[in-house]
Amino acid sequence: AQLHDVQVAMRWFRVHAGDYGVDPERIGAWGFSSGAHLVSLMALVAGQDTPLDEPWGGSELAPAAVVAGGVPADFSKFNSGRRLVQLLGGREEEIPEAYREASPVTHVHGDAPAFFLFHGAWDRLVPIDHAEDFKKALEEKGVPVALHRQPLRGHFVGFVMDGAAVDDALVFLEQRLSGR
């Protein structure tokens, strides 16, 4: 349902982009933590042959670039925590395919948009290996990707005190979305 909400919102924004003077081919997506998970998943499943792209998805929803901070990229790394059981409806050993399908790293492909990842080096809620493994998977498919490691930052502090990450992400978006 959360992914569908993001897909419907992106569809609405693309349809109404002209009303706001926005080029619909130059729309990026930005999220942190669960928001990073959702924009990453939306970007990666858009137009792909997966049930996650139905009924609200489609290739036209793919953003031109994605900024994802503190992204939980691989749900198998969480050992079926309470929140994942609530979200997915069971423990990983009961529904391993649901955990796999809900993980953005599972859906990486060569036509994915460029990604800018930022992550707190001291993040214990979503350890930095999520971003590192996600970056590696994107690189292996030839997708442009950058990872900004935030020193001395955990999950929440990485969001509240983003340091240079936001500045670097804005430069990344300017480069990717400007058409230059």
Side-chain angles (χ1 to χ4, degrees), residues 3 13 22 26 29 45 48 51 63 88 91 94 115 130 163 167 169:
L3 177 59
F13 192 63
V22 173
R26 293 194 214 171
V45 304
Q48 301 301 302
L88 300 174
R91 301 185 57 75
E94 299 164 342
F115 273 77
H130 281 260
D167 293 337

mmCIF file with all atom_site columns, all heavy atoms in Angstrom, residues 3 13 22 26 29 45 48 51 63 88 91 94 115 130 163 167 169:
data_model
loop_
_atom_site.group_PDB
_atom_site.id
_atom_site.type_symbol
_atom_site.label_atom_id
_atom_site.label_alt_id
_atom_site.label_comp_id
_atom_site.label_asym_id
_atom_site.label_entity_id
_atom_site.label_seq_id
_atom_site.pdbx_PDB_ins_code
_atom_site.Cartn_x
_atom_site.Cartn_y
_atom_site.Cartn_z
_atom_site.occupancy
_atom_site.B_iso_or_equiv
_atom_site.pdbx_formal_charge
_atom_site.auth_seq_id
_atom_site.auth_comp_id
_atom_site.auth_asym_id
_atom_site.auth_atom_id
_atom_site.pdbx_PDB_model_num
ATOM 1   N N   . LEU A 1 3   ? 3.906  1.628   -1.231  1.00 0.00 ? 3   LEU A N   1
ATOM 2   C CA  . LEU A 1 3   ? 4.476  1.783   -2.567  1.00 0.00 ? 3   LEU A CA  1
ATOM 3   C C   . LEU A 1 3   ? 3.423  2.318   -3.533  1.00 0.00 ? 3   LEU A C   1
ATOM 4   O O   . LEU A 1 3   ? 3.699  3.214   -4.334  1.00 0.00 ? 3   LEU A O   1
ATOM 5   C CB  . LEU A 1 3   ? 5.051  0.461   -3.074  1.00 0.00 ? 3   LEU A CB  1
ATOM 6   C CG  . LEU A 1 3   ? 5.621  0.486   -4.486  1.00 0.00 ? 3   LEU A CG  1
ATOM 7   C CD1 . LEU A 1 3   ? 6.743  1.499   -4.626  1.00 0.00 ? 3   LEU A CD1 1
ATOM 8   C CD2 . LEU A 1 3   ? 6.087  -0.909  -4.881  1.00 0.00 ? 3   LEU A CD2 1
ATOM 9   N N   . PHE A 1 13  ? 1.878  13.863  -9.974  1.00 0.00 ? 13  PHE A N   1
ATOM 10  C CA  . PHE A 1 13  ? 2.851  14.940  -10.186 1.00 0.00 ? 13  PHE A CA  1
ATOM 11  C C   . PHE A 1 13  ? 3.285  15.020  -11.646 1.00 0.00 ? 13  PHE A C   1
ATOM 12  O O   . PHE A 1 13  ? 3.406  16.100  -12.201 1.00 0.00 ? 13  PHE A O   1
ATOM 13  C CB  . PHE A 1 13  ? 4.060  14.765  -9.267  1.00 0.00 ? 13  PHE A CB  1
ATOM 14  C CG  . PHE A 1 13  ? 4.948  15.972  -9.241  1.00 0.00 ? 13  PHE A CG  1
ATOM 15  C CD1 . PHE A 1 13  ? 4.485  17.186  -8.773  1.00 0.00 ? 13  PHE A CD1 1
ATOM 16  C CD2 . PHE A 1 13  ? 6.251  15.883  -9.695  1.00 0.00 ? 13  PHE A CD2 1
ATOM 17  C CE1 . PHE A 1 13  ? 5.306  18.312  -8.756  1.00 0.00 ? 13  PHE A CE1 1
ATOM 18  C CE2 . PHE A 1 13  ? 7.076  17.004  -9.690  1.00 0.00 ? 13  PHE A CE2 1
ATOM 19  C CZ  . PHE A 1 13  ? 6.606  18.212  -9.215  1.00 0.00 ? 13  PHE A CZ  1
ATOM 20  N N   . VAL A 1 22  ? 7.142  22.418  -14.472 1.00 0.00 ? 22  VAL A N   1
ATOM 21  C CA  . VAL A 1 22  ? 8.148  21.379  -14.277 1.00 0.00 ? 22  VAL A CA  1
ATOM 22  C C   . VAL A 1 22  ? 8.199  20.485  -15.508 1.00 0.00 ? 22  VAL A C   1
ATOM 23  O O   . VAL A 1 22  ? 7.156  20.085  -16.034 1.00 0.00 ? 22  VAL A O   1
ATOM 24  C CB  . VAL A 1 22  ? 7.811  20.533  -13.020 1.00 0.00 ? 22  VAL A CB  1
ATOM 25  C CG1 . VAL A 1 22  ? 8.736  19.341  -12.893 1.00 0.00 ? 22  VAL A CG1 1
ATOM 26  C CG2 . VAL A 1 22  ? 7.868  21.397  -11.767 1.00 0.00 ? 22  VAL A CG2 1
ATOM 27  N N   . ARG A 1 26  ? 12.327 15.521  -16.023 1.00 0.00 ? 26  ARG A N   1
ATOM 28  C CA  . ARG A 1 26  ? 13.405 15.904  -15.107 1.00 0.00 ? 26  ARG A CA  1
ATOM 29  C C   . ARG A 1 26  ? 12.929 15.926  -13.658 1.00 0.00 ? 26  ARG A C   1
ATOM 30  O O   . ARG A 1 26  ? 13.249 16.838  -12.905 1.00 0.00 ? 26  ARG A O   1
ATOM 31  C CB  . ARG A 1 26  ? 13.946 17.272  -15.489 1.00 0.00 ? 26  ARG A CB  1
ATOM 32  C CG  . ARG A 1 26  ? 14.653 17.258  -16.813 1.00 0.00 ? 26  ARG A CG  1
ATOM 33  C CD  . ARG A 1 26  ? 15.446 18.520  -16.959 1.00 0.00 ? 26  ARG A CD  1
ATOM 34  N NE  . ARG A 1 26  ? 15.449 18.923  -18.349 1.00 0.00 ? 26  ARG A NE  1
ATOM 35  C CZ  . ARG A 1 26  ? 15.914 20.065  -18.775 1.00 0.00 ? 26  ARG A CZ  1
ATOM 36  N NH1 . ARG A 1 26  ? 16.376 20.949  -17.931 1.00 0.00 ? 26  ARG A NH1 1
ATOM 37  N NH2 . ARG A 1 26  ? 15.900 20.352  -20.055 1.00 0.00 ? 26  ARG A NH2 1
ATOM 38  N N   . ALA A 1 29  ? 13.482 11.919  -7.264  1.00 0.00 ? 29  ALA A N   1
ATOM 39  C CA  . ALA A 1 29  ? 12.787 11.435  -6.062  1.00 0.00 ? 29  ALA A CA  1
ATOM 40  C C   . ALA A 1 29  ? 13.781 11.439  -4.913  1.00 0.00 ? 29  ALA A C   1
ATOM 41  O O   . ALA A 1 29  ? 14.945 11.060  -5.089  1.00 0.00 ? 29  ALA A O   1
ATOM 42  C CB  . ALA A 1 29  ? 12.232 10.038  -6.300  1.00 0.00 ? 29  ALA A CB  1
ATOM 43  N N   . VAL A 1 45  ? 11.264 -0.553  -9.759  1.00 0.00 ? 45  VAL A N   1
ATOM 44  C CA  . VAL A 1 45  ? 10.237 -1.448  -10.324 1.00 0.00 ? 45  VAL A CA  1
ATOM 45  C C   . VAL A 1 45  ? 9.452  -0.803  -11.456 1.00 0.00 ? 45  VAL A C   1
ATOM 46  O O   . VAL A 1 45  ? 8.732  -1.497  -12.173 1.00 0.00 ? 45  VAL A O   1
ATOM 47  C CB  . VAL A 1 45  ? 9.268  -1.999  -9.246  1.00 0.00 ? 45  VAL A CB  1
ATOM 48  C CG1 . VAL A 1 45  ? 10.024 -2.721  -8.146  1.00 0.00 ? 45  VAL A CG1 1
ATOM 49  C CG2 . VAL A 1 45  ? 8.354  -0.921  -8.684  1.00 0.00 ? 45  VAL A CG2 1
ATOM 50  N N   . GLN A 1 48  ? 9.010  -2.465  -14.902 1.00 0.00 ? 48  GLN A N   1
ATOM 51  C CA  . GLN A 1 48  ? 9.590  -3.810  -14.861 1.00 0.00 ? 48  GLN A CA  1
ATOM 52  C C   . GLN A 1 48  ? 8.472  -4.845  -14.727 1.00 0.00 ? 48  GLN A C   1
ATOM 53  O O   . GLN A 1 48  ? 7.373  -4.543  -14.279 1.00 0.00 ? 48  GLN A O   1
ATOM 54  C CB  . GLN A 1 48  ? 10.571 -3.937  -13.692 1.00 0.00 ? 48  GLN A CB  1
ATOM 55  C CG  . GLN A 1 48  ? 11.723 -2.948  -13.760 1.00 0.00 ? 48  GLN A CG  1
ATOM 56  C CD  . GLN A 1 48  ? 12.547 -3.094  -15.024 1.00 0.00 ? 48  GLN A CD  1
ATOM 57  O OE1 . GLN A 1 48  ? 13.083 -4.154  -15.310 1.00 0.00 ? 48  GLN A OE1 1
ATOM 58  N NE2 . GLN A 1 48  ? 12.621 -2.020  -15.807 1.00 0.00 ? 48  GLN A NE2 1
ATOM 59  N N   . PRO A 1 51  ? 4.987  -7.785  -9.984  1.00 0.00 ? 51  PRO A N   1
ATOM 60  C CA  . PRO A 1 51  ? 3.690  -7.402  -9.404  1.00 0.00 ? 51  PRO A CA  1
ATOM 61  C C   . PRO A 1 51  ? 3.739  -6.077  -8.632  1.00 0.00 ? 51  PRO A C   1
ATOM 62  O O   . PRO A 1 51  ? 2.716  -5.409  -8.496  1.00 0.00 ? 51  PRO A O   1
ATOM 63  C CB  . PRO A 1 51  ? 3.359  -8.562  -8.464  1.00 0.00 ? 51  PRO A CB  1
ATOM 64  C CG  . PRO A 1 51  ? 4.140  -9.721  -8.991  1.00 0.00 ? 51  PRO A CG  1
ATOM 65  C CD  . PRO A 1 51  ? 5.389  -9.140  -9.592  1.00 0.00 ? 51  PRO A CD  1
ATOM 66  N N   . PRO A 1 63  ? 11.672 8.072   -11.902 1.00 0.00 ? 63  PRO A N   1
ATOM 67  C CA  . PRO A 1 63  ? 12.279 9.391   -11.794 1.00 0.00 ? 63  PRO A CA  1
ATOM 68  C C   . PRO A 1 63  ? 13.592 9.412   -12.573 1.00 0.00 ? 63  PRO A C   1
ATOM 69  O O   . PRO A 1 63  ? 14.178 8.368   -12.862 1.00 0.00 ? 63  PRO A O   1
ATOM 70  C CB  . PRO A 1 63  ? 12.528 9.545   -10.287 1.00 0.00 ? 63  PRO A CB  1
ATOM 71  C CG  . PRO A 1 63  ? 12.625 8.153   -9.776  1.00 0.00 ? 63  PRO A CG  1
ATOM 72  C CD  . PRO A 1 63  ? 11.750 7.313   -10.654 1.00 0.00 ? 63  PRO A CD  1
ATOM 73  N N   . LEU A 1 88  ? 5.181  -6.636  6.463   1.00 0.00 ? 88  LEU A N   1
ATOM 74  C CA  . LEU A 1 88  ? 5.103  -7.696  5.463   1.00 0.00 ? 88  LEU A CA  1
ATOM 75  C C   . LEU A 1 88  ? 4.166  -8.836  5.830   1.00 0.00 ? 88  LEU A C   1
ATOM 76  O O   . LEU A 1 88  ? 3.845  -9.661  4.983   1.00 0.00 ? 88  LEU A O   1
ATOM 77  C CB  . LEU A 1 88  ? 6.510  -8.234  5.174   1.00 0.00 ? 88  LEU A CB  1
ATOM 78  C CG  . LEU A 1 88  ? 7.484  -7.187  4.631   1.00 0.00 ? 88  LEU A CG  1
ATOM 79  C CD1 . LEU A 1 88  ? 8.878  -7.762  4.512   1.00 0.00 ? 88  LEU A CD1 1
ATOM 80  C CD2 . LEU A 1 88  ? 7.004  -6.631  3.307   1.00 0.00 ? 88  LEU A CD2 1
ATOM 81  N N   . ARG A 1 91  ? 7.283  -13.392 9.532   1.00 0.00 ? 91  ARG A N   1
ATOM 82  C CA  . ARG A 1 91  ? 8.732  -13.458 9.687   1.00 0.00 ? 91  ARG A CA  1
ATOM 83  C C   . ARG A 1 91  ? 9.367  -13.931 8.379   1.00 0.00 ? 91  ARG A C   1
ATOM 84  O O   . ARG A 1 91  ? 8.713  -14.561 7.562   1.00 0.00 ? 91  ARG A O   1
ATOM 85  C CB  . ARG A 1 91  ? 9.089  -14.398 10.837  1.00 0.00 ? 91  ARG A CB  1
ATOM 86  C CG  . ARG A 1 91  ? 8.472  -13.939 12.181  1.00 0.00 ? 91  ARG A CG  1
ATOM 87  C CD  . ARG A 1 91  ? 8.908  -14.799 13.350  1.00 0.00 ? 91  ARG A CD  1
ATOM 88  N NE  . ARG A 1 91  ? 10.342 -14.865 13.519  1.00 0.00 ? 91  ARG A NE  1
ATOM 89  C CZ  . ARG A 1 91  ? 11.122 -13.892 14.017  1.00 0.00 ? 91  ARG A CZ  1
ATOM 90  N NH1 . ARG A 1 91  ? 10.572 -12.754 14.384  1.00 0.00 ? 91  ARG A NH1 1
ATOM 91  N NH2 . ARG A 1 91  ? 12.416 -14.045 14.136  1.00 0.00 ? 91  ARG A NH2 1
ATOM 92  N N   . GLU A 1 94  ? 9.017  -17.447 7.270   1.00 0.00 ? 94  GLU A N   1
ATOM 93  C CA  . GLU A 1 94  ? 7.666  -17.817 6.837   1.00 0.00 ? 94  GLU A CA  1
ATOM 94  C C   . GLU A 1 94  ? 7.357  -17.318 5.421   1.00 0.00 ? 94  GLU A C   1
ATOM 95  O O   . GLU A 1 94  ? 6.653  -18.000 4.674   1.00 0.00 ? 94  GLU A O   1
ATOM 96  C CB  . GLU A 1 94  ? 6.631  -17.208 7.797   1.00 0.00 ? 94  GLU A CB  1
ATOM 97  C CG  . GLU A 1 94  ? 6.757  -17.680 9.231   1.00 0.00 ? 94  GLU A CG  1
ATOM 98  C CD  . GLU A 1 94  ? 5.996  -16.805 10.216  1.00 0.00 ? 94  GLU A CD  1
ATOM 99  O OE1 . GLU A 1 94  ? 5.638  -15.649 9.884   1.00 0.00 ? 94  GLU A OE1 1
ATOM 100 O OE2 . GLU A 1 94  ? 5.756  -17.286 11.332  1.00 0.00 ? 94  GLU A OE2 1
ATOM 101 N N   . PHE A 1 115 ? 21.565 7.052   -8.836  1.00 0.00 ? 115 PHE A N   1
ATOM 102 C CA  . PHE A 1 115 ? 21.280 7.115   -7.401  1.00 0.00 ? 115 PHE A CA  1
ATOM 103 C C   . PHE A 1 115 ? 22.373 7.881   -6.672  1.00 0.00 ? 115 PHE A C   1
ATOM 104 O O   . PHE A 1 115 ? 23.556 7.696   -6.941  1.00 0.00 ? 115 PHE A O   1
ATOM 105 C CB  . PHE A 1 115 ? 21.218 5.708   -6.802  1.00 0.00 ? 115 PHE A CB  1
ATOM 106 C CG  . PHE A 1 115 ? 19.883 5.042   -6.881  1.00 0.00 ? 115 PHE A CG  1
ATOM 107 C CD1 . PHE A 1 115 ? 19.441 4.490   -8.074  1.00 0.00 ? 115 PHE A CD1 1
ATOM 108 C CD2 . PHE A 1 115 ? 19.065 4.948   -5.768  1.00 0.00 ? 115 PHE A CD2 1
ATOM 109 C CE1 . PHE A 1 115 ? 18.210 3.858   -8.157  1.00 0.00 ? 115 PHE A CE1 1
ATOM 110 C CE2 . PHE A 1 115 ? 17.829 4.322   -5.836  1.00 0.00 ? 115 PHE A CE2 1
ATOM 111 C CZ  . PHE A 1 115 ? 17.402 3.774   -7.032  1.00 0.00 ? 115 PHE A CZ  1
ATOM 112 N N   . HIS A 1 130 ? 23.909 -1.624  4.231   1.00 0.00 ? 130 HIS A N   1
ATOM 113 C CA  . HIS A 1 130 ? 22.764 -1.548  3.304   1.00 0.00 ? 130 HIS A CA  1
ATOM 114 C C   . HIS A 1 130 ? 23.140 -0.662  2.115   1.00 0.00 ? 130 HIS A C   1
ATOM 115 O O   . HIS A 1 130 ? 22.941 -1.040  0.960   1.00 0.00 ? 130 HIS A O   1
ATOM 116 C CB  . HIS A 1 130 ? 21.526 -0.969  3.998   1.00 0.00 ? 130 HIS A CB  1
ATOM 117 C CG  . HIS A 1 130 ? 20.811 -1.938  4.853   1.00 0.00 ? 130 HIS A CG  1
ATOM 118 N ND1 . HIS A 1 130 ? 19.678 -2.594  4.443   1.00 0.00 ? 130 HIS A ND1 1
ATOM 119 C CD2 . HIS A 1 130 ? 21.048 -2.377  6.109   1.00 0.00 ? 130 HIS A CD2 1
ATOM 120 C CE1 . HIS A 1 130 ? 19.246 -3.395  5.403   1.00 0.00 ? 130 HIS A CE1 1
ATOM 121 N NE2 . HIS A 1 130 ? 20.067 -3.274  6.428   1.00 0.00 ? 130 HIS A NE2 1
ATOM 122 N N   . GLY A 1 163 ? 24.877 17.492  7.504   1.00 0.00 ? 163 GLY A N   1
ATOM 123 C CA  . GLY A 1 163 ? 26.207 17.922  7.086   1.00 0.00 ? 163 GLY A CA  1
ATOM 124 C C   . GLY A 1 163 ? 26.237 18.272  5.614   1.00 0.00 ? 163 GLY A C   1
ATOM 125 O O   . GLY A 1 163 ? 25.333 18.915  5.086   1.00 0.00 ? 163 GLY A O   1
ATOM 126 N N   . ASP A 1 167 ? 23.976 19.123  0.531   1.00 0.00 ? 167 ASP A N   1
ATOM 127 C CA  . ASP A 1 167 ? 24.639 19.941  -0.491  1.00 0.00 ? 167 ASP A CA  1
ATOM 128 C C   . ASP A 1 167 ? 25.133 19.076  -1.648  1.00 0.00 ? 167 ASP A C   1
ATOM 129 O O   . ASP A 1 167 ? 24.940 19.416  -2.816  1.00 0.00 ? 167 ASP A O   1
ATOM 130 C CB  . ASP A 1 167 ? 25.813 20.717  0.113   1.00 0.00 ? 167 ASP A CB  1
ATOM 131 C CG  . ASP A 1 167 ? 25.365 21.772  1.118   1.00 0.00 ? 167 ASP A CG  1
ATOM 132 O OD1 . ASP A 1 167 ? 24.193 22.212  1.049   1.00 0.00 ? 167 ASP A OD1 1
ATOM 133 O OD2 . ASP A 1 167 ? 26.192 22.151  1.960   1.00 0.00 ? 167 ASP A OD2 1
ATOM 134 N N   . ALA A 1 169 ? 23.991 16.133  -2.487  1.00 0.00 ? 169 ALA A N   1
ATOM 135 C CA  . ALA A 1 169 ? 22.826 15.578  -3.181  1.00 0.00 ? 169 ALA A CA  1
ATOM 136 C C   . ALA A 1 169 ? 22.225 16.606  -4.129  1.00 0.00 ? 169 ALA A C   1
ATOM 137 O O   . ALA A 1 169 ? 21.798 16.256  -5.239  1.00 0.00 ? 169 ALA A O   1
ATOM 138 C CB  . ALA A 1 169 ? 21.778 15.104  -2.172  1.00 0.00 ? 169 ALA A CB  1
#
